[in-house]
Amino acid sequence: MFCGDEREPHPLHKKPLCQEKKSSFRFWFHFLVLFCLLILYLFYTMCNNTQSLREGFSLQKTFSWLFVQTPQGNAPPYRVHLKHRLMLNDIHEKTEPHPAQQQRLQYHEAYPHNYRFVMDNPEVCKVNLPFLVLMVPVAPKDVLARDAIRATWGKDRVVQGETVLTLFVLGLSGGIDVKELQQENQQHNDLIQSNFLDTYLNLTIKTMVIMDWLATRCPAAAYAMKVDSDVFLNVDNLVIMLKKPGIPQKNYLTGLLKGNVPVIRSKDSKWYVPKELYPDPQYPTYTQGMGYVFSNDLPAKFVEVSKSIKPFNIEDAYIGMCIKNLGLSVTSPPDYSQFRDYNTRYDRCEFSKIITYILDSSEQLIDYWTDYKKPGPHCLDKL
Ligand SMILES: *[C@@H]1O[C@H](CO)[C@@H](O)[C@H](O)[C@H]1NC(C)=O
C-alpha cells in the first residue's frame, strides 16, 4: 500500500501514518546510501592496499639478494661458508678497540732497560762459555713445555763437540706462585725472568729482553737462537750448519726468511697492527719467529738501534726492522729447506735432515723425540 493512495481516505489516521512511513523510508534510504558510500570507500582503500602489497612482492623478487635468502629446493640456505659466517659474526661482535690500540702507549716502553731482571742466572754463561745459546720465550705457567724441552732438545750440554745452553725467558704473571718458579730455577738454573707483564702483545718486549740478556750476561757466546717452545729443534743439524765454512761470525741473522709480508690491518687478527704503530703496508724481510739464529754480536746492536724504532707487537718483523735500520740484511741459510714451519706428519728420515719444525703440543715433541732417538738408521737408503 502506497502512502499517496487516497482510495481509502481516513481523515484521522491516514496522514500521520503515511508521514511516519515516509520518514522511516527516507531514514533507511539515507542509511543505505551512506552504507554504500562507506562500503565503496572501504573497497577503494582495500584495493589500494592490495596493490601496494602486490608491488611489495615484486620488489622483493627484484631485490631478493637484499633480503634474507630462504632455502629453495636443494639450494643451500647460505652461499657463505660456515667458517666465514662465524667470522662475520665476530666482526659484528668485536666493536671495542683491539688491545694493541688500547695499550698503544705501553709500546713506547719496549726498550728493555725499562725493565729489570727478577731472575737472571748471570753465572750460567761464565762457568762454561757456550758456542750456542738457545733462548726460549715461554709463559710462566707453562712448566709442561719447559719440562718437555728439558727432556728433549734442551737436554744435551754438548752437541757436536760444542757447548750449548738452553734458557727459558719469562715475564711476570698474576696468579703464579713465585715460590714454585724459584724452586724450578734452583733445580735447573735455566729461568730468566723480567718484570714486564707476560702477554702475547708484549712478545716484542720479551724478544728485546732476550737481546738485552745476551748482550749483558753472555756477550762472549758465538751464536744464539730465539726458538719457540712449540718447535722440534734438531740441535745437531743447527751446530753442523753454524760450523760450516763460510758462515759469518758477525752480523749474521738467518732462519726461515719472510719477504714482502703485508701488514695485517684486520682488527680480528692475532697479528693486527694499527697504522699508528707501523704505517708501511709491508714488513722488511725478516726471519720467521718460530726460530731464528744470529751471531752474538747482534743482540747489543739490536738493543741500541731499538731505541729509535717505534715498537709494534710482531716480534720477528720488529727484529727485521732492527736489521734494516742497522743497514744490514738477513742471510739465507746454507740449506733453506732446513727451516720448516708447519708439520703435517712425522717422518723419521725427514726429521733427521731439518733444523726446525712447528709442532702441536709438548706431548707431540716427546713422542717424536722418543722415536727420533731410537737406535738405528733414520733413513732407509735405497741401495
Ligand atoms: C706489557 O707490559 C707492561 C709492563 O709490565 C704492561 O704495563 C702492559 O700492560 C703490557 N701490555 C700488554 C698489552 O699486555
Side-chain angles (χ1 to χ4, degrees):
M1 194 195 219
F2 293 102
C3 272
D5 198 334
E6 285 171 6
R7 269 177 293 177
E8 272 181 25
H10 197 295
L12 267 175
H13 296 290
K14 199 180 155 187
K15 212 166 180 183
L17 188 76
C18 193
Q19 265 181 350
E20 212 179 83
K21 276 195 178 172
K22 258 191 184 168
S23 64
S24 113
F25 177 76
R26 220 174 279 142
F27 169 76
W28 283 110
F29 181 74
H30 283 148
F31 179 78
L32 260 171
V33 167
L34 278 170
F35 187 73
C36 281
L37 279 172
L38 186 73
I39 295 286
L40 263 170
Y41 174 73
L42 281 174
F43 190 70
Y44 175 74
T45 48
M46 255 179 74
C47 274
N48 265 359
N49 280 350
T50 34
Q51 187 163 1
S52 67
L53 265 174
R54 210 175 295 139
E55 269 174 353
F57 281 129
S58 68
L59 261 176
Q60 188 173 357
K61 251 190 189 163
T62 320
F63 295 99
S64 58
W65 52 273
L66 268 176
F67 295 83
V68 177
Q69 299 268 317
T70 45
Q72 284 174 353
N74 288 333
Y78 291 94
R79 293 217 186 89
V80 186
H81 189 274
L82 178 73
K83 208 168 79 183
H84 301 290
R85 260 192 287 153
L86 289 176
M87 250 170 61
L88 284 170
N89 288 343
D90 270 4
I91 289 169
H92 294 309
E93 275 163 24
K94 289 177 189 166
T95 43
E96 80 276 11
H98 189 275
Q101 276 186 326
Q102 289 173 338
Q103 304 286 339
R104 196 181 308 152
L105 287 174
Q106 262 93 23
Y107 285 107
H108 297 283
E109 299 172 10
Y111 181 61
H113 289 172
N114 291 316
Y115 307 104
R116 58 177 184 81
F117 291 107
V118 182
M119 279 191 267
D120 72 338
N121 288 301
E123 72 296 338
V124 289
C125 211
K126 283 158 192 139
V127 178
N128 212 343
L129 180 66
F131 170 75
L132 171 67
V133 189
L134 304 173
M135 299 294 269
V136 190
V138 60
K141 63 166 168 40
D142 224 344
V143 199
L144 283 179
R146 291 192 287 274
D147 282 341
I149 291 167
R150 285 176 185 127
T152 58
W153 51 260
K155 191 166 71 181
D156 295 332
R157 292 295 158 90
V158 178
V159 178
Q160 300 287 318
E162 302 290 350
T163 304
V164 178
L165 182 62
T166 304
L167 300 170
F168 300 98
V169 187
L170 340 167
L172 293 182
S173 166
I176 290 292
D177 196 342
V178 180
K179 275 239 172 67
E180 266 175 42
L181 277 182
Q182 282 169 347
Q183 276 170 9
E184 189 184 331
N185 187 48
Q186 263 168 22
Q187 197 183 340
H188 303 283
N189 291 306
D190 60 0
L191 300 186
I192 309 293
Q193 189 179 31
S194 178
N195 71 340
F196 66 91
L197 198 61
D198 200 312
T199 62
Y200 188 77
L201 283 171
N202 267 348
L203 279 186
T204 301
I205 298 178
K206 194 176 258 196
T207 292
M208 294 318 292
V209 163
I210 287 175
M211 298 305 169
D212 187 35
W213 191 91
L214 289 166
T216 57
R217 270 63 168 179
C218 204
Y223 294 96
M225 179 183 200
K226 179 254 163 183
V227 54
D228 284 342
S229 62
D230 58 354
V231 164
F232 181 102
L233 185 67
N234 192 318
V235 191
D236 283 283
N237 288 348
L238 175 57
V239 173
I240 291 168
M241 181 199 93
L242 289 171
K243 285 169 70 169
K244 274 197 175 131
I247 293 295
Q249 292 172 346
K250 275 191 163 32
N251 299 331
Y252 182 59
L253 171 63
T254 195
L256 178 61
L257 304 198
K258 292 279 181 183
N260 304 316
V261 175
V263 179
I264 293 174
R265 305 292 189 195
S266 155
K267 286 182 186 171
D268 304 288
S269 170
K270 181 180 170 185
W271 299 288
Y272 166 65
V273 174
K275 275 208 173 99
E276 304 91 82
L277 291 188
Y278 188 89
D280 292 353
Q282 280 189 350
Y283 293 119
T285 303
Y286 63 90
T287 46
Q288 225 259 34
M290 61 162 180
Y292 48 86
V293 187
F294 42 93
S295 55
N296 206 32
D297 60 312
L298 281 180
K301 297 174 187 172
F302 288 150
V303 169
E304 192 50 37
V305 80
S306 77
K307 290 177 193 172
S308 58
I309 305 171
K310 196 172 186 173
F312 54 93
N313 46 305
I314 311 291
E315 65 89 17
D316 45 9
Y318 187 77
I319 290 296
M321 274 300 280
C322 289
I323 272 284
K324 187 187 162 201
N325 281 25
L326 285 167
L328 305 169
S329 54
V330 296
T331 310
S332 290
D335 176 357
Y336 83 93
S337 72
Q338 286 191 305
F339 287 87
R340 300 289 186 90
D341 46 11
Y342 294 99
N343 164 251
T344 44
R345 75 186 176 94
Y346 174 73
D347 183 293
R348 188 173 150 89
C349 178
E350 200 193 346
F351 273 59
S352 74
K353 291 173 179 165
I354 54 96
I355 290 174
T356 62
Y357 245 136
I358 299 176
L359 303 182
D360 293 335
S361 64
S362 297
E363 297 86 70
Q364 206 175 48
L365 170 60
I366 291 171
D367 287 352
Y368 289 6
W369 191 265
T370 308
D371 184 89
Y372 180 72
K373 283 292 167 181
K374 276 182 191 156
H378 286 108
C379 300
L380 300 166
D381 289 325
K382 296 170 203 118
L383 294 170

